[in-house]
Amino acid sequence: MIGLEHIVKEFRQEYKEVAKSIGVSSQTIQDWLKKRRKIPKKRLQQLSNLFDLPEKYFQKELNFMEREEIALHYLENFSEEVEIPLLNDKGEVVDYYKKNTHENEIQYLRENIENRKRKNDIFMNLETLLGIENLNSNEQNSSPLLSNTSKAETLNKVIKVMQDQELYSYFEVVIQLLNYQSEFGGRVISTVSPQYRDFAEDFLKLLEKHKIKTNKREN
């Protein structure tokens, strides 16, 4: 599913309405959705203006965070502010306060997006520490984090990560996983705080993918 299909559904619109708005036929929209034709630059600009979203979202497969950003954009633009009565102990209206009709959903999405950005930040730092770009070579154990010849450089990078208070908790999970004396999977996830378990699972997959493993517990 390309982004256009998801966006039209998210905004509760019909394809014929979108087609009419940008001056193309409904069949042209279907050709784009079925990837028979790419969306021309001119039409991408029109779609971007129509939905007030970046052009890049319409032609590509969207990741989870991009879908959340689109949902947030929709709610922020189409939610309405309403007055909510404030009652006293007797049930009498004593005042009113204003609240967005989708305030809870908006706050939830904002927090989710920020958490995902924070998670992406720590993964970028981890890739630097693990030297993922060097693992494409044929050298074994080419990761700076595991090398005996780059301890000072690695330590400096680790300190920079640990100085970032927002990333520190994630880095603690990394240290915990790297020092866990068991095979990946199994009980190791249960040792991580629930709010960090999705991050832990992704990190273990990253280690397994690049064949970086902790020592197994001896029988």
Side-chain angles (χ1 to χ4, degrees):
M1 178 193 297
I2 65 171
L4 174 60
E5 183 175 353
H6 176 81
I7 291 168
V8 172
K9 291 179 179 178
E10 185 69 41
F11 277 68
R12 281 70 168 172
Q13 293 197 22
E14 295 184 7
Y15 295 124
K16 62 181 180 181
E17 296 174 350
V18 175
K20 183 178 180 180
S21 296
I22 63 174
V24 300
S25 66
S26 295
Q27 183 58 51
T28 296
I29 296 288
Q30 291 302 315
D31 288 343
W32 294 342
L33 297 176
K34 297 182 184 300
K35 300 182 180 180
R36 289 194 285 260
R37 287 193 288 170
K38 287 188 175 182
I39 306 175
K41 177 66 176 177
K42 175 183 176 181
R43 303 307 181 188
L44 284 174
Q45 292 175 339
Q46 290 177 309
L47 290 168
S48 176
N49 292 333
L50 180 64
F51 292 98
D52 192 24
L53 289 168
E55 293 179 19
K56 64 180 182 179
Y57 283 179
F58 296 90
Q59 188 74 72
K60 61 174 287 189
E61 300 282 342
L62 299 171
N63 60 41
F64 194 80
M65 190 167 77
E66 288 168 338
R67 290 172 181 245
E68 287 191 329
E69 288 175 340
I70 290 168
L72 176 60
H73 178 72
Y74 171 79
L75 290 177
E76 286 179 333
N77 282 273
F78 292 94
S79 295
E80 297 179 354
E81 196 174 62
V82 295
E83 286 191 340
I84 307 296
L86 186 64
L87 307 179
N88 60 18
D89 295 338
K90 298 179 180 180
E92 301 169 335
V93 177
V94 294
D95 202 355
Y96 291 87
Y97 66 95
K98 294 182 178 180
K99 182 179 180 180
N100 194 292
T101 51
H102 295 284
E103 183 176 301
N104 293 336
E105 295 96 323
I106 289 173
Q107 184 61 31
Y108 172 79
L109 286 171
R110 283 176 178 168
E111 290 176 357
N112 260 12
I113 291 170
E114 285 306 310
N115 285 337
R116 289 187 179 278
K117 287 180 178 178
R118 191 174 295 116
K119 179 179 173 180
N120 288 344
D121 286 343
I122 187 63
F123 262 89
M124 288 178 64
N125 282 279
L126 288 172
E127 287 186 347
T128 300
L129 290 172
L130 293 172
I132 298 302
E133 66 278 2
N134 297 325
L135 291 171
N136 293 324
S137 67
N138 292 325
E139 298 179 11
Q140 296 295 319
N141 295 329
S142 58
S143 168
L145 187 61
L146 304 180
S147 172
N148 291 325
T149 61
S150 60
K151 290 180 180 178
E153 179 184 357
T154 300
L155 180 59
N156 287 333
K157 292 177 180 178
V158 170
I159 291 173
K160 286 183 180 180
V161 174
M162 294 180 70
Q163 286 175 337
D164 188 327
Q165 294 299 315
E166 291 189 346
L167 301 181
Y168 184 78
S169 296
Y170 290 92
F171 195 76
E172 284 186 316
V173 174
V174 170
I175 298 301
Q176 180 180 344
L177 295 176
L178 287 173
N179 284 280
Y180 189 80
Q181 299 298 307
S182 181
E183 294 186 6
F184 295 133
R187 292 179 298 172
V188 62
I189 295 296
S190 65
T191 67
V192 178
S193 299
Q195 65 266 38
Y196 299 114
R197 285 179 185 171
D198 61 335
F199 170 80
E201 289 177 357
D202 287 344
F203 180 65
L204 289 178
K205 290 176 184 177
L206 179 68
L207 295 181
E208 289 177 333
K209 176 182 177 181
H210 296 284
K211 298 180 174 57
I212 303 171
K213 298 182 180 180
T214 59
N215 295 326
K216 297 180 181 180
R217 177 179 293 173
E218 296 182 359
N219 295 326

